[in-house]
Amino acid sequence: MSPIKIIPKKKKNPKYKREEPIAVDDYMSDEEFQSIDRVLDKNVTYLKSKLGESGDIIIRNIQPHPRLKMVVIYIDGLSGAQQIQDSVIKSVMEWSEKYIEEEHHSDFISILGDSIMTIGDIGYCEQFSELFSAILSGDSAILVDGYKRAVIAKTKDPNKRDVTEPKTQSVVRGPQEGFTEDIRTNTSLIRRKIKSVDVRVECNLIGRFTQTDVSIMYVKGIASEDIIGEVRRRLSEIDIDGILESAYIEELIQDSTLSPFPTIFNSERPDVIAAGLLEGRVAILVDGTPFVLLVPVVFPQFFQSAEDYYQRSDFGIIRLLRYVAFFFALLSPSLFIAIKTFHQELIPTPLMITLAAQREGVPFPAFVEALIMEVTFEILREAGIRMPKAVGQAISIVGALVIGQAAVEAGFVTPAMVIVVAITAISTFVFPAYNLAIAVRGLRFVFMTLAATFGLFGVTVGLFIMVIHLCSLRSFGIPYMSPIAPYNQSDQRDSIFHLPLKWLKTRPRLINQTNLTRQQTIKKSPDE
């Protein structure tokens, strides 16, 4: 069958005069119907049968020439209707007839995409699987009667959430922009930070039903090829119905599922992800979420804030304060329980008398006191998060004050226990990484149980087990506790302490083995 583009007007093909839709079953089975057919009616019938006559599926018939029939297929709401009207339909309807009259144009589909349509990004496909993937992603497809190829126009709806201030990782000084739910906006935010030809973006579709766009981003020449290959391998092994948030990817590719400590870092700040890429890490971006994953990760990274690098160097005093807050949040209730229950001799006598007077009339032991207060505060914290923002914060603060005061007056707990639990709760808010705070909140109850059972001996054993577990973890092949264990002298400049930037001349050695130099020493002239 000759393409209609070179058929003269006197020649007519009776096959194109069908007026009734052609049933798919009259031709071939669904398994055989993989490639786009030349007969337009047959393709449209198959599309309608697969998409189920959905109300938001728009199939727009166009006939710019008596001998030419075509349809534009898109999904209302996913595609930009105005963009389709201006750059697709209007362009086709206003074209010159020379594209049909000149017989030497044998590939009309290429002419349609390259010369007629004014849309910025054009693609082609020959398989229905590619066509479905395109229109379900917000693009539009143009099918022409007599041709076995379709034109894919990138017409995704441009309406999306604007770039706003990050809500979970705020800073006093630094960029006030955060990622959005659009993956292309997120990659552009990173490229604005790193204007290098070595930045690479590799795209994948994951999820049998959701077909979610998942991209990995890295800097070629800085990121290790072994880490990049491991990320590719783990993503390729994912076979799941759908990916709705980057947490799905995080759980499916993490190194240790049973560990309470996160082995993948996430952030909604483009500057944090850009800094990670410059250290040799790999970013994983998921369409539909503002949280970007970063691998590999080490334990000291969860105590680092973007603002550490934007203020004048304080040699790590603020960062050291976060480590102190970590131990307060983890061990304050357990140490108080252990000392008050088993080791009263460690408490000064005047303080011991005060604590004993407070316990008069309190029916519960110290462990039950701490358990009541901790569970109550966790409930208030969750209530403050889940309730509407206008009242959530007020409920959490006022609720804690009222319940704490009422519990003391009712004789359920002592004032000292309220102070300990309050310090513990405030310390958990110091961590820049929220997922680390969740791990600490869970481990706190384990240490409280050990303290109530074995005293300080139980707390010490628990700490040993936790440290051994941390040292056994790896994140994409990198030791989790590096550069502390294994110890690396040069990387100590930016782990527990933070030295001035001019002293940070190399990238982390275990993460990057190919391009270690971050900055060069400027040699001053003898006159200076």
Side-chain angles (χ1 to χ4, degrees):
M1 190 188 317
S2 302
I4 62 171
K5 52 200 171 302
I6 60 174
I7 296 177
K9 293 183 179 180
K10 64 181 180 178
K11 293 183 180 181
K12 295 186 179 179
N13 194 331
K15 282 190 176 182
Y16 289 84
K17 291 186 177 181
R18 289 182 181 269
E19 296 187 7
E20 295 294 328
I22 304 171
V24 178
D25 295 336
D26 294 341
Y27 287 86
M28 57 188 69
S29 64
D30 187 63
E31 288 75 13
E32 295 172 314
F33 207 110
Q34 300 295 332
S35 300
I36 297 173
D37 196 81
R38 290 184 183 274
V39 183
L40 181 61
D41 289 339
K42 181 179 176 181
N43 293 330
V44 171
T45 303
Y46 179 71
L47 285 168
K48 289 181 177 179
S49 67
K50 292 296 290 183
L51 297 172
E53 299 283 355
S54 299
D56 59 344
I57 304 297
I58 308 299
I59 300 179
R60 172 74 157 83
N61 293 288
I62 304 176
Q63 194 166 3
H65 191 275
R67 292 184 293 106
L68 182 62
K69 291 194 305 181
M70 63 176 65
V71 295
V72 178
I73 305 105
Y74 63 93
I75 297 180
D76 189 19
L78 289 182
S79 301
Q82 191 63 41
Q83 191 177 15
I84 294 174
Q85 174 64 30
D86 295 340
S87 302
V88 178
I89 298 177
K90 188 176 180 181
S91 298
V92 172
M93 297 300 292
E94 292 181 350
W95 66 353
S96 173
E97 291 189 0
K98 67 179 182 179
Y99 295 110
I100 294 179
E101 300 301 335
E102 295 181 6
E103 297 186 3
H104 65 275
H105 289 305
S106 59
D107 190 357
F108 173 72
I109 293 297
S110 297
I111 297 172
L112 177 64
D114 299 339
S115 302
I116 298 174
M117 295 170 56
T118 59
I119 193 75
D121 194 359
I122 290 292
Y124 304 93
C125 70
E126 298 180 357
Q127 303 294 322
F128 273 107
S129 59
E130 299 173 1
L131 188 146
F132 285 130
S133 177
I135 62 177
L136 291 172
S137 299
D139 299 331
S140 56
I142 298 92
L143 293 171
V144 182
D145 195 17
Y147 296 89
K148 300 181 66 174
R149 271 205 309 168
V151 180
I152 303 298
K154 307 298 182 181
T155 56
K156 290 184 179 179
D157 190 358
N159 295 327
K160 52 194 174 184
R161 184 169 69 91
D162 295 333
V163 177
T164 57
E165 183 181 353
K167 296 182 180 180
T168 60
Q169 297 174 332
S170 59
V171 296
V172 176
R173 178 179 178 179
Q176 303 296 322
E177 59 183 7
F179 289 121
T180 69
E181 286 74 17
D182 183 68
I183 190 171
R184 285 297 151 253
T185 301
N186 296 341
T187 55
S188 65
L189 288 173
I190 297 175
R191 283 192 177 274
R192 289 178 186 176
K193 304 290 183 184
I194 309 177
K195 301 179 181 68
S196 171
V197 296
D198 294 323
V199 175
R200 300 288 187 269
V201 179
E202 299 180 7
C203 303
N204 305 274
L205 290 177
I206 301 179
R208 291 193 295 266
F209 291 94
T210 60
Q211 289 289 291
T212 307
D213 291 326
V214 178
S215 299
I216 64 173
M217 201 169 186
Y218 59 91
V219 180
K220 185 176 178 60
I222 296 180
S224 170
E225 290 296 332
D226 294 336
I227 295 177
I228 298 172
E230 183 65 15
V231 173
R232 293 189 188 122
R233 183 188 67 81
R234 297 190 188 187
L235 290 178
S236 65
E237 292 177 351
I238 297 177
D239 185 11
I240 192 173
D241 285 346
I243 301 294
L244 303 179
E245 215 276 337
S246 57
Y248 285 60
I249 299 292
E250 181 177 355
E251 286 201 26
L252 292 171
I253 67 173
Q254 63 185 351
D255 288 74
S256 180
T257 304
L258 300 178
S259 175
F261 294 96
T263 54
I264 295 177
F265 187 78
N266 68 79
S267 176
E268 60 172 336
R269 296 188 59 88
D271 54 334
V272 172
I273 300 300
L277 296 183
L278 293 176
E279 288 182 343
R281 293 181 167 88
V282 179
I284 304 173
L285 300 92
V286 180
D287 193 27
T289 175
F291 290 91
V292 175
L293 307 179
L294 196 65
V295 295
V297 66
V298 293
F299 186 66
Q301 188 175 345
F302 292 100
F303 297 91
Q304 299 173 2
S305 172
E307 200 169 8
D308 293 346
Y309 305 91
Y310 303 149
Q311 303 284 0
R312 291 186 68 253
S313 175
D314 57 2
F315 292 87
I317 295 177
I318 302 299
R319 189 178 296 178
L320 187 61
L321 184 63
R322 298 187 193 118
Y323 283 93
V324 174
F326 170 77
F327 286 102
F328 275 170
L330 183 67
L331 299 176
S332 290
S334 56
L335 291 177
F336 186 79
I337 292 169
I339 293 175
K340 195 172 181 181
T341 305
F342 296 98
H343 311 282
Q344 295 89 347
E345 66 277 3
L346 297 178
I347 305 176
T349 303
L351 179 58
M352 186 62 201
I353 294 173
T354 303
L355 294 177
Q358 292 178 2
R359 284 205 54 81
E360 185 178 355
V362 177
F364 304 114
F367 173 71
V368 177
E369 281 187 75
L371 194 61
I372 291 173
M373 292 302 300
E374 287 290 346
V375 171
T376 302
F377 191 84
E378 292 296 331
I379 293 173
L380 288 171
R381 192 204 312 256
E382 285 300 309
I385 294 174
R386 310 303 165 200
M387 291 185 68
K389 293 182 179 179
V391 296
Q393 191 174 15
I395 290 295
S396 60
I397 296 174
V398 175
L401 293 174
V402 172
I403 291 178
Q405 182 66 26
V408 172
E409 293 180 357
F412 282 99
V413 296
T414 61
M417 183 60 71
V418 174
I419 295 174
V420 171
V421 172
I423 293 175
T424 303
I426 294 172
S427 298
T428 58
F429 295 121
V430 177
F431 308 147
Y434 181 72
N435 49 358
L436 179 64
I438 295 176
V440 171
R441 287 161 59 183
L443 288 174
R444 185 187 306 147
F445 291 96
V446 176
F447 278 96
M448 286 167 54
T449 305
L450 291 174
T453 307
F454 304 106
L456 289 179
F457 174 76
V459 176
T460 304
V461 172
L463 281 174
F464 272 114
I465 295 174
M466 187 188 74
V467 171
I468 292 172
H469 172 70
L470 287 172
C471 292
S472 68
L473 292 178
R474 285 181 174 267
S475 176
F476 286 78
I478 303 300
Y480 192 61
M481 288 299 292
S482 63
I484 302 172
Y487 183 79
N488 186 287
Q489 179 63 39
S490 62
D491 290 349
Q492 298 302 319
R493 301 169 184 173
D494 193 24
S495 58
I496 297 178
F497 299 97
H498 171 58
L499 300 186
L501 285 176
K502 65 179 181 180
W503 294 353
L504 306 179
K505 300 183 182 299
T506 59
R507 297 183 176 90
R509 293 182 179 272
L510 287 178
I511 296 174
N512 187 287
Q513 299 289 335
T514 57
N515 188 349
L516 287 174
T517 304
R518 194 199 308 256
Q519 62 174 314
Q520 297 287 351
T521 302
I522 300 177
K523 295 182 179 180
K524 296 183 179 181
S525 61
D527 298 335
E528 295 183 1

